[in-house]
Amino acid sequence: MRTLILAAALAALPLAAQAQTPTPEPSPAVRAMAAGYKALTVCSALKTAQAAGGTRTLESVEANELVGVYPEIDALVRGMPVEVGERQVSVPWDEAMPPRVAVFSPGRGCVIQPVGWTGESPEIFLPGVRVNEPFATAEPDGDAALLNEAVEQAFEGDRYGEGINTTAVLVLQNDRIVAEEYADGFGVDTPQRTWSVGKSLAGTIIGAAVQRGEVDVNAPAAIADWSREGDPRAAITLDQLMRMASGLTSDSAGNRTDALYFGGVGIDEQATTWPLIAQPGTRYRYANNDTLLAVLSIAPTFAQHPPAELFRRLGMYDTWAETDWRGNYMLSSQVWTTARDLARFGQLYLHDGVVDGERILPEGWRDHVSRPSGPQPGGAQGYGATFWLMNNSEGVPADTISANGNRGQYVIIVPSRNIVIVRRGEDPTGKRFDPIAFTRDVLAALD
């Protein structure tokens, strides 16, 4: 009877009211962004894997990196065709416009070109022979069965989150790999995008510049566009940018900066334009722009000391720090690297910034980045200077810091236990891996 009543009521409505509202077509701007996302992701995934001596297939990328992306472009990204060439990847998106193009260069990774681009990208080659030095392995000091159970749950169970997609787990204890596992299609030579783990890499690059005497983190950030007389942004320090305490406007929580990441807009064209809405140092607001600006402020040091130089010194030969089309490093997100290279990154902090007897980071830099100075975020983790803090989690030592990234990227560093935990993932939007619970279980299994 209820169905008949509803049907009768519907018949009484005007025809115009009965018609369903059509779903609006995506705007050209949204389609262009989706095409840029796909072109850059496919280019970076395939080309860095090839350069690292591994293999990725387009099918694997489409099943992992291109599933569960931002809701407004997810369906578009899945449906758009893609053409993979020797040096570039193209994605058509509009009959009247050229395709979106990402171009790969050795030592540089892939770069998404501006909308409408049809030219040639200058090739940037950073010299240096690739050497993938093997890690020492060992049986864990502790309960191997418990450790294996935690690792398997990260891949197969729902203990650490429902609907997640773990692609790699690596546990380092006393500088030796005691657990390492990869999903099908991934391996030791498979770089993945770091997402915001890149922010902690950026903080490390800044620390290396401090050690060389080229940068003072307590001085105002050297942003040319803020140097005009009377501009209050000139007072923002490099340290405040590293702590997400700049006071600058963010257009959204996290300030997604899609135009910079996938739209082909240059960092120096957009990131420097945001006004102040709070006194620097008085408000925490996680924002990609703060890290982008911190890196931009030390850009003059890259002529002699590009990020790749530090990565090679750490043995991270399968790591690519990508740039925008103008050559500005996108170190808030656009780094592609392997689980083993991230373990080497973690080792640097286990050893307080020293590698093979050479000090790479200033003495006490680990304390600096793990100090919760100034305003703090809500939630289970605090924030230092480009690193998250697990300083208030039961079962986790208070000195634990982590580099966290979208889609489930984690590098968890426990100096007091000499342990690094790396978890890589391609978790769909809305699905979250629980790094604190995983860390607690791994540590409980190890002596």
Side-chain angles (χ1 to χ4, degrees):
M1 180 62 69
R2 182 184 180 196
T3 302
L4 293 174
I5 292 172
L6 289 174
L10 180 61
L13 292 173
L15 290 177
Q18 295 182 39
Q20 292 185 348
T21 304
T23 302
E25 287 292 320
S27 69
V30 171
R31 286 189 283 111
M33 198 69 66
Y37 188 106
K38 187 164 190 174
L40 182 61
T41 301
V42 171
C43 179
S44 297
L46 295 183
K47 301 304 181 183
T48 60
Q50 182 180 6
T55 57
R56 286 296 303 278
T57 64
L58 178 59
E59 292 74 20
S60 173
V61 179
E62 289 178 332
N64 289 280
E65 282 90 342
L66 298 180
V67 170
V69 303
Y70 302 131
E72 64 270 28
I73 64 172
D74 183 70
L76 287 169
V77 166
R78 295 183 196 219
M80 286 177 166
V82 59
E83 180 180 339
V84 180
E86 183 178 355
R87 281 195 60 219
Q88 65 185 47
V89 171
S90 304
V91 176
W93 63 280
D94 188 289
E95 292 182 358
M97 292 289 290
R100 297 301 310 277
V101 178
V103 180
F104 176 79
S105 293
R108 188 187 193 189
C110 289
V111 174
I112 188 67
Q113 302 297 329
V115 173
W117 180 87
T118 58
E120 284 292 328
S121 177
E123 185 161 334
I124 297 178
F125 181 75
L126 300 177
V129 178
R130 176 182 173 273
V131 180
N132 194 359
E133 299 174 355
F135 256 112
T137 61
E139 289 297 314
D141 290 339
D143 190 325
L146 277 180
L147 177 61
N148 290 337
E149 179 185 350
V151 172
E152 290 304 313
Q153 280 291 317
F155 283 91
E156 303 294 342
D158 58 5
R159 181 187 298 178
Y160 308 118
E162 295 182 358
I164 60 175
N165 178 16
T166 299
T167 56
V169 169
L170 187 154
V171 179
L172 202 68
Q173 181 186 36
N174 300 323
D175 296 321
R176 291 173 172 81
I177 294 175
V178 295
E180 184 176 29
E181 188 169 336
Y182 297 90
D184 290 343
F186 295 82
V188 296
D189 294 319
T190 307
Q192 291 180 255
R193 186 181 173 192
T194 62
W195 294 91
S196 288
V197 168
K199 293 178 172 66
S200 303
L201 291 168
T204 305
I205 290 166
I206 291 169
V210 172
Q211 173 62 17
R212 295 192 302 266
E214 299 170 342
V215 171
D216 179 359
V217 293
N218 296 312
I223 304 295
D225 287 355
W226 299 349
S227 62
R228 301 177 184 89
E229 186 176 354
D231 192 330
R233 298 174 299 178
I236 300 171
T237 67
L238 179 54
D239 190 58
Q240 287 167 343
L241 290 172
M242 294 174 67
R243 295 182 183 280
M244 302 294 180
S246 67
L248 292 168
T249 301
S250 296
D251 59 349
S252 63
N255 207 17
R256 266 176 41 186
T257 57
D258 291 6
L260 301 179
Y261 287 171
F262 315 114
V265 176
I267 291 170
D268 53 348
E269 296 174 303
Q270 185 184 88
T272 63
T273 63
W274 298 99
L276 278 176
I277 60 171
Q279 183 71 20
T282 64
R283 186 198 68 164
Y284 171 91
R285 185 168 174 84
Y286 187 86
N288 296 330
N289 270 346
D290 279 16
T291 305
L292 291 169
L293 289 164
V295 174
L296 185 65
S297 75
I298 69 163
T301 70
F302 296 150
Q304 296 297 319
H305 302 286
E309 177 186 81
L310 175 62
F311 296 151
R312 289 198 300 269
R313 181 65 188 87
L314 300 182
M316 298 171 63
Y317 287 93
D318 291 337
T319 299
W320 286 262
E322 296 182 340
T323 71
D324 65 20
W325 71 278
R326 295 163 68 92
N328 300 302
Y329 283 97
M330 304 281 253
L331 280 160
S332 62
S333 177
Q334 308 289 70
V335 182
W336 284 71
T337 187
T338 63
R340 287 191 174 190
D341 275 9
L342 288 179
R344 291 184 174 94
F345 161 62
Q347 274 185 303
L348 178 67
Y349 282 89
L350 288 185
H351 299 295
D352 195 28
V354 175
V355 176
D356 297 330
E358 177 187 1
R359 178 156 290 285
I360 305 297
L361 302 176
E363 186 174 359
W365 186 255
R366 186 177 70 198
D367 293 335
H368 179 81
V369 300
S370 61
R371 186 171 65 250
S373 173
Q376 288 291 292
Q381 289 189 262
Y383 201 78
T386 74
F387 279 86
W388 292 90
L389 315 177
M390 289 189 184
N391 56 349
N392 192 30
S393 299
E394 184 179 353
V396 179
D399 66 341
T400 303
I401 59 175
S402 64
N404 301 354
N406 191 27
R407 296 179 70 92
Q409 320 308 316
Y410 296 99
V411 184
I412 299 159
I413 304 163
V414 192
S416 59
R417 298 282 301 275
N418 207 21
I419 289 171
V420 175
I421 302 167
V422 178
R423 189 268 183 175
R424 310 302 309 271
E426 292 298 340
D427 300 335
T429 298
K431 305 296 183 181
R432 296 185 65 86
F433 182 82
D434 187 341
I436 296 176
F438 184 57
T439 299
R440 183 184 301 118
D441 288 351
V442 169
L443 294 179
L446 299 175
D447 290 339

